[in-house]
Amino acid sequence: MRVAPFDPAPVLAALTAMLPAARPLALHEPRFAGREWDYVKECLDTGWVSSAGAYVDRFERLLAERCGVARAVAVVNGTAGLHAALLLAGVEPGDEVLVPALTFVATANAVVHAGAVPHFVDSDPVTLGLDPKRLEDHLTETAAPGPGGPINRATGRHIRAVVPVHVFGHPVAMDALNAVAARWHLTVIEDATEALGSLYHGRPAGALARLAVLSFNGNKIITTGGGGAILTDDPALADAAKHLTSTAKRPHPWAFEHDEVGYNYRLPNLNAALGCAQLEQLDTFLAAKRRLAALYHERLAGLPGIEPVIEPPGCTGNYWLNAVKVPDAAARDALLAACHGAGLLARPAWALMSGLPMYAACPSAELPVAEELAARLVCLPSGAGLLEGDREQA
Ligand SMILES: *Cc1c(COP(=O)(O)O)cnc(C)c1O
């Protein structure tokens, strides 16, 4: 049977009709509509701009509250947070860590920063994140169970941890994943960098594993310019996270007592000030993003070859990025070219980690779903200010 080639024109017409006229329209612009100026000015006025200060403490408290965990430790970016979280989870040089092949490169990079080897696994077509069932099948076929985690039978290495990523803010099937991890003695670290504000069966992303990591890069749902946080319910682990990410200095009024090789991964007070102002607006951003997602759905769902990505059953996504599935890679490229030609800076999903030169030789499961998703996904402009008319005022 011959299928008519995908035509991007009706999609572009629908996008042009619903989006503001300003061009170019970035994939995700930050929005500063709260007390950002006041808080940042206070840092400058008082001199508290650097690696300690009241805004850091306040940002950590507000984040922990918001995510329903005991503690949050602010760090300089999400990649650094993932690196520290892997070390805190007991990942050692020469271990393997399971990560989805479909993720931003930082997830895999952090594993290598910890001296370990990423081991790629497949995705779920509904959540876009790691598929617990396929993960367990892969472990059963290729690994030997052990009390310290599975051993990869092909490489002989310990598989120590698994890092699910809530892709575009849609929560991974965490109950099933946590059950697989418990059966195989794997530590779970949530890469919740895209998922602040998302709920999984009523529970916040970031509170669904022993350790979780957020990012506040300029393109994320709230931003501190650059920044991140490690979340945990375990106060001892939080203390260890603070210590490791603040040069491993023991508290003392004047002495330099460092008791291990620590990292300078602290979030400056200046950035935390921005973070406090942004966090105060999170509910407004979430509501705006839901309105945008609903409008995309209403305008695009009926068009031939277009399948909007929606939050998984039982979940409330933050719709950090709105995405659609098109029939194949040729359709994806045609839509991306049409959008860019019109100043709409749409993006594909990431290239699979297993295809990047530095990761091509890493262990990997079969990846049929991730390959299909990478070929078919297109992400559309998704900033919280898109429908609010504030671009025209700017
Ligand atoms: C943004 C992001 C990170 C890294 O965060 P940075 O703050 O940019 O270092 C890690 N993983 C995923 C999936 C991300 O989207």
Side-chain angles (χ1 to χ4, degrees):
M1 190 183 77
R2 291 194 52 164
V3 181
F6 174 79
D7 179 7
V11 185
L12 188 60
L15 293 175
T16 308
M18 67 167 270
L19 291 171
R23 295 291 181 273
L25 213 50
L27 187 68
H28 199 291
E29 287 192 0
R31 185 161 196 239
F32 304 111
R35 305 196 60 190
E36 287 87 352
W37 277 109
D38 297 339
Y39 293 175
V40 169
K41 182 171 186 304
E42 191 187 321
C43 294
L44 299 176
D45 289 344
T46 59
W48 286 93
V49 296
S50 194
S51 48
Y55 280 114
V56 175
D57 301 339
R58 181 161 149 205
F59 190 45
E60 289 179 339
R61 219 169 41 242
L62 292 173
L63 280 173
E65 245 168 55
R66 177 75 207 203
C67 296
V69 292
R71 296 273 298 277
V73 174
V75 292
V76 72
N77 58 52
T79 311
L82 285 167
H83 176 203
L86 288 159
L87 298 177
L88 292 161
V91 170
E92 290 180 2
D95 286 346
E96 290 180 12
V97 175
L98 298 156
V99 300
L102 185 69
T103 184
F104 179 58
V105 71
T107 318
N109 287 348
V111 171
V112 176
H113 296 165
V117 177
H119 181 147
F120 302 115
V121 290
D122 204 12
S123 307
D124 174 317
V126 174
T127 68
L128 314 181
L130 194 153
D131 184 330
K133 169 78 169 68
R134 294 182 62 84
L135 169 66
E136 181 143 51
D137 290 348
H138 176 65
L139 287 171
T140 304
E141 275 165 34
T142 62
I151 307 280
N152 181 338
R153 283 201 295 263
T155 63
R157 288 190 291 245
H158 247 112
I159 305 175
R160 196 73 67 174
V162 56
V163 185
V165 180
H166 306 308
V167 172
F168 307 154
H170 298 297
V172 167
M174 287 300 293
D175 286 342
L177 178 68
N178 281 325
V180 172
R183 279 196 287 279
W184 288 84
H185 304 285
L186 289 162
T187 302
V188 181
I189 299 163
E190 272 182 274
D191 181 337
T193 49
E194 304 181 357
L196 177 63
S198 295
L199 299 175
Y200 173 78
H201 297 280
R203 289 142 62 205
L208 306 170
R210 184 148 175 262
L211 285 156
V213 176
L214 301 174
S215 165
F216 313 115
N217 190 42
N219 63 344
K220 297 301 206 284
I221 187 158
I222 68 164
T223 186
T224 58
I230 301 168
L231 307 178
T232 180
D233 249 339
D234 177 343
L237 203 54
D239 289 341
K242 194 69 178 175
H243 190 66
L244 185 65
T245 57
S246 344
T247 69
K249 183 184 176 301
R250 296 159 67 99
H252 191 283
W254 58 81
F256 294 101
E257 292 181 2
H258 303 269
D259 59 4
E260 61 180 314
V261 179
Y263 295 85
N264 181 9
Y265 279 174
R266 292 170 292 195
L267 182 73
N269 199 51
L270 202 54
N271 301 73
L274 203 52
C276 289
Q278 287 269 289
L279 203 48
E280 288 170 359
Q281 299 162 83
L282 178 58
D283 286 320
T284 318
F285 292 171
L286 289 168
K289 288 168 86 67
R290 282 197 92 68
R291 280 198 299 280
L292 180 62
L295 190 63
Y296 271 131
H297 196 267
E298 179 195 315
R299 301 293 176 88
L300 301 179
L303 300 177
I306 291 285
E307 208 183 302
V309 174
I310 55 168
E311 58 205 356
C315 297
T316 306
N318 66 359
Y319 284 97
W320 171 57
L321 287 187
N322 284 280
V324 293
K325 281 186 207 171
V326 294
D328 52 30
R332 173 199 66 192
D333 294 343
L335 182 54
L336 287 168
C339 284
H340 279 249
L344 301 175
L345 306 186
R347 299 287 294 272
W350 311 280
L352 297 188
M353 295 302 105
S354 48
L356 300 180
M358 64 287 194
Y359 294 132
C362 288
S364 180
E366 300 286 309
L367 304 168
V369 178
E371 279 162 12
E372 186 185 330
L373 288 171
R376 296 182 56 197
L377 286 168
V378 174
C379 297
L380 301 170
S382 294
L386 263 193
L387 298 181
E388 311 304 304
D390 58 357
R391 284 183 54 86
E392 285 79 357
Q393 291 155 28

